[in-house]
Amino acid sequence: MNRQSSFVLMEALLALSVSMLAICFLCDLQSKQIQRITILKDTIQNQRSKLEKKYYCEEKQTKIFYDP
């Protein structure tokens, strides 16, 4: 293999390495975003549940107070 071919091959391998590094970075970023979304969904669900309990508790108290 001559020097020109070896240089082209080295450039191609370097480009492939950089591409693989970028793909790994993006996969890690996506994984972190999925984790954050899951945490937010859980938090929203917990808050919704608390609000529903509070609402129904207040609704029962209001009915007891106003109903003869």
Side-chain angles (χ1 to χ4, degrees):
M1 191 182 316
N2 65 15
R3 191 175 183 136
Q4 182 75 21
S5 299
S6 135
F7 183 71
V8 169
L9 181 60
M10 188 174 63
E11 280 185 326
L13 288 173
L14 181 61
L16 182 61
S17 298
V18 170
S19 300
M20 289 297 296
L21 186 62
I23 289 170
C24 289
F25 173 77
L26 291 174
C27 288
D28 184 54
L29 183 63
Q30 182 182 25
S31 175
K32 287 179 182 177
Q33 288 176 336
I34 289 170
Q35 288 175 342
R36 288 180 186 151
I37 288 169
T38 302
I39 290 169
L40 285 173
K41 284 171 66 175
D42 290 343
T43 303
I44 289 169
Q45 185 62 40
N46 290 339
Q47 292 297 325
R48 179 181 290 150
S49 178
K50 287 178 184 177
L51 286 173
E52 285 175 351
K53 287 177 186 175
K54 185 176 179 180
Y55 172 77
Y56 289 122
C57 183
E58 288 179 1
E59 186 178 299
K60 283 182 180 179
Q61 288 177 356
T62 303
K63 282 186 177 183
I64 291 172
F65 185 73
Y66 287 113
D67 285 345

